[in-house]
Amino acid sequence: MLARLRRVPFAAQVLLGLVLGIALGFVAREIGPVADGTPNWLTSTLQTVGSTFVTLLKVLVPPLVVTAVVVSIANLKQVSNAARLAGQTLLWFAITALIAVAIGIGLGLLTEPGRNSSVDAAAQDVPETTGSWWDFLTGLVPSNILGLQGSAGADGSIGLSFNVLQLIVLSVAIGVAVLKVGEPAEPFLALTRSALAIVQKVLWWVILLAPLGTVGLIGNAVATYGWESLGSLGVFAGAVYAGLALVLFVVYPVLLRLHGLSPLRYFAGAWPAIQLAFVSRSSIGTLPVTERVTEQNLGVPRSYASFAVPLGATTKMDGCAAIYPALAAIFVAQFFGVDLGITDYLLIALVSVVGSAATAGVTGAVVMLTLTLSTLGLPLAGVGLLLAVDPILDMGRTAVNVAGQALVPTIVAKREGILDVERYASTSTIDPLARAEETAGVDTDLRQPQHA
């Protein structure tokens, strides 16, 4: 049975899970909550299945990030342009974010979502978690070697989470130290490489559950939120998805064409990660698939992709940190009758380009939105007006985030002459669900010349 299932393409399996999840979600919504208002058994089951899948992915991300970044930096020891690669990556992160935020501002001015909304003003609510530049700067300094953070729950329990940006800072420091120490660090490097191989194997066992996780995640979203909430915020939601579509299907293809790359081949290679991001609503949870398709379908060298993709998963968010906060800030300003000037729009662009890293380690786009609103001096209570449709919007935002996280390493690799163009152009893409041993060891050396 399992062998037969593996013959079905990964995209088809996730698509089947998507359809089944929507159907079960509508069934659960029709059943309705039980007498005391708690979710019915089907909604609870869907929620448990979906959250368990994302938790399994997230729990394995810290060891993946640490080992992958350390090994990738160590692999750059014989590459003369390592610093240039890092600089080019950050530059293209900023360029694409600037384009995305410009689209968001343009759509906000065109559609005027704050003036074309019937949302109830009583929905104003200041969120519990907000973003600030100070939190971002202090968040760069790890409080412990594991990058762990604790938070108290309403019931008195203590929950632990990891800060991915801190993990990357630690990993980069360790990787550079390995390069400086040289030969005495070889045993540690060998151990880290072995740990990376083991973590990747476990991750692909979890990825095998992606179709089942899709059923739970989409089913729970439909059962819990439905589509009724879109009514009062239809113009805003439509503008957000229009902006996401413009970036994903217009801006990205144009950038690829300008670099001599086929947009169709890009989407064929990156689509499994984009699709999983849409249903999981987690760039971090999608990280293993994003990294795999970037390396093996798009032809980006593993030594570079294993650094650029995890970095992008925390700081490259064209959906959550560019289009959405720009449109949402304009919505809040229009709703409260605040006129924005050219300086305010420039501030929105600046926050979107520079401040997306402030959301690292925090789930959702709410932190980025509050950072934008506080910078502009707009009321944070306006965040509550948009929370009703946030889960529906978050699916599209995350898909665009992940698409950008695969796009930038591809463009940079092409510009630097290290992209395996033959692999990129190949019509036979590698199924991310394939067994790890079928594609183990496939790599592209950063030092090899670009294929003609």
Side-chain angles (χ1 to χ4, degrees), residues 275-343:
Q275 184 176 247
L276 183 59
F278 182 83
V279 297
S280 69
R281 295 169 50 202
S282 171
S283 294
I284 297 298
T286 312
L287 174 58
V289 176
T290 310
E291 189 171 343
R292 193 176 182 95
V293 299
T294 302
E295 296 168 6
Q296 299 184 0
N297 287 347
L298 302 180
V300 178
R302 177 177 299 174
S303 301
Y304 170 50
S306 61
F307 174 80
V309 176
L311 178 65
T314 63
T315 60
K316 176 58 183 165
M317 303 179 186
D318 288 342
C320 289
I323 296 173
Y324 178 74
L327 271 165
I330 292 174
F331 173 91
V332 172
Q334 293 173 346
F335 186 87
F336 288 101
V338 178
D339 292 326
L340 298 179
I342 184 64
T343 303

Side-chain angles (χ1 to χ4, degrees), residues 194-353:
S194 298
L196 175 59
I198 293 171
V199 171
Q200 287 176 329
K201 171 63 74 173
V202 177
L203 276 170
W204 290 112
W205 290 342
V206 175
I207 294 300
L208 287 170
L209 302 173
L212 184 60
T214 300
V215 174
L217 291 166
I218 293 298
N220 179 61
V222 173
T224 304
Y225 301 102
W227 302 100
E228 293 86 350
S229 56
L230 284 174
S232 60
L233 292 166
V235 175
F236 174 75
V240 170
Y241 266 96
L244 296 173
L246 284 173
V247 170
L248 184 59
F249 297 117
V250 178
V251 174
Y252 289 173
V254 168
L255 291 176
L256 289 165
R257 281 293 185 193
L258 290 176
H259 290 86
L261 298 172
S262 166
L264 291 178
R265 296 313 312 152
Y266 165 77
F267 283 114
W271 195 255
I274 297 172
Q275 184 176 247
L276 183 59
F278 182 83
V279 297
S280 69
R281 295 169 50 202
S282 171
S283 294
I284 297 298
T286 312
L287 174 58
V289 176
T290 310
E291 189 171 343
R292 193 176 182 95
V293 299
T294 302
E295 296 168 6
Q296 299 184 0
N297 287 347
L298 302 180
V300 178
R302 177 177 299 174
S303 301
Y304 170 50
S306 61
F307 174 80
V309 176
L311 178 65
T314 63
T315 60
K316 176 58 183 165
M317 303 179 186
D318 288 342
C320 289
I323 296 173
Y324 178 74
L327 271 165
I330 292 174
F331 173 91
V332 172
Q334 293 173 346
F335 186 87
F336 288 101
V338 178
D339 292 326
L340 298 179
I342 184 64
T343 303
D344 297 308
Y345 295 122
L346 291 176
L347 277 175
I348 292 175
L350 177 64
V351 173
S352 299
V353 173

Side-chain angles (χ1 to χ4, degrees), residues 16 30 48 50 73 97 139 147 187 219 228 246 285 302-303 305 339 400 427 441 445:
L16 180 61
E30 285 299 318
T48 302
I73 291 178
E228 293 86 350
L246 284 173
R302 177 177 299 174
S303 301
D339 292 326
V400 172
T427 56
D445 195 328

Side-chain angles (χ1 to χ4, degrees), residues 106-117:
L107 285 172
L109 296 176
L110 179 66
T111 60
E112 297 188 330
R115 296 191 178 97
N116 295 289
S117 168

